[in-house]
Amino acid sequence: MNATEKIILGIDPGTNVMGYGLLRVEGNKAQMMAMGVVDMRKESDPYLRLGKIFERVTGIINEFLPDEMAIEAPFFGKNVQSMLKLGRAQGVAISAAIQHSVPIHEYAPLKIKMAITGNGSASKEQVAGMLKRLLALKADDMPQFMDATDALAAAYCHFLQSSRPESTARHYSSWKDFTLKNKDKIHKP
């Protein structure tokens, strides 16, 4: 694989159904390699579900050797218990990527929907339909669970973000960092 080629793993974390999608990127073109779900609905033990997430994400990483992982961030609006469960699922998937030295990029659902459809409040069906067009997917490529297309959307969002030219804007890690880098511009009374 040359420098302009990479594989992006997208993850839509969930404790009942977790989606995954893989893109092969060559230059400025992306194509779907695989997508699917990890269905944990038959497992009643929440900790065993987390173990299954770790095992499957590790297996996907070992099989496809992704260069980067894009993961959907939990969104605020669900109840606290749902957020906690989703955060755990996300953390386990991230841990699998860290264990294999796969860089992780997190995207809010709104940002992913915006990148794919141009509408931050797009439905899962609209996102899936747009991915079908963008990646020239066939009807039989489309999965039963939208979690898989949500994961592919996270990967595609990352593809779009990483194919943009780097910003020349300064980046700051904290207010202290900001003040240190802008001493000459800060006026003290």
Side-chain angles (χ1 to χ4, degrees):
M1 208 176 274
N2 67 42
T4 61
E5 294 180 37
K6 67 181 170 182
I7 295 171
I8 302 170
L9 167 62
I11 296 285
D12 178 30
T15 54
N16 289 321
V17 178
M18 182 197 81
Y20 66 90
L22 289 123
L23 285 180
R24 176 184 305 281
V25 175
E26 296 179 34
N28 64 352
K29 296 204 185 306
Q31 73 180 72
M32 183 197 64
M33 295 175 69
M35 71 173 150
V37 296
V38 179
D39 188 347
M40 296 159 288
R41 293 174 298 169
K42 290 181 182 167
E43 179 56 65
S44 60
D45 185 317
Y47 300 109
L48 292 179
R49 285 181 179 200
L50 295 175
K52 189 169 183 180
I53 292 169
F54 188 84
E55 283 176 17
R56 282 300 292 131
V57 173
T58 296
I60 292 164
I61 290 170
N62 287 336
E63 181 179 351
F64 292 98
L65 305 172
D67 298 289
E68 298 174 311
M69 182 172 89
I71 191 163
E72 185 174 305
F75 58 93
F76 307 100
K78 292 187 168 198
N79 67 44
V80 175
Q81 283 302 313
S82 294
M83 284 293 299
L84 179 61
K85 289 176 186 175
L86 205 52
R88 286 177 176 169
Q90 184 194 39
V92 168
I94 288 170
S95 295
I98 289 169
Q99 185 181 28
H100 291 84
S101 301
V102 177
I104 300 140
H105 306 273
E106 185 178 43
Y107 295 97
L110 181 102
K111 182 158 182 109
I112 294 170
K113 290 175 183 182
M114 219 33 210
I116 305 302
T117 68
N119 175 3
S121 60
S123 69
K124 288 177 173 288
E125 291 79 12
Q126 289 171 317
V127 170
M130 187 58 82
L131 283 172
K132 187 176 176 185
R133 286 189 286 285
L134 290 168
L135 296 168
L137 303 175
K138 297 176 184 73
D140 56 342
D141 288 333
M142 300 310 286
Q144 175 187 355
F145 292 99
M146 296 282 179
D147 306 82
T149 50
D150 284 354
L152 192 63
Y156 199 83
C157 174
H158 181 64
F159 158 67
L160 293 173
Q161 295 299 307
S162 59
S163 62
R164 289 185 175 160
E166 286 298 313
S167 168
T168 56
R170 282 188 169 179
H171 298 281
Y172 307 102
S173 59
S174 65
W175 277 110
K176 183 178 180 184
D177 184 36
F178 174 84
T179 57
L180 287 172
K181 290 179 179 173
N182 291 285
K183 283 184 199 173
D184 57 322
K185 296 177 186 157
I186 297 173
H187 301 286
K188 292 184 180 178

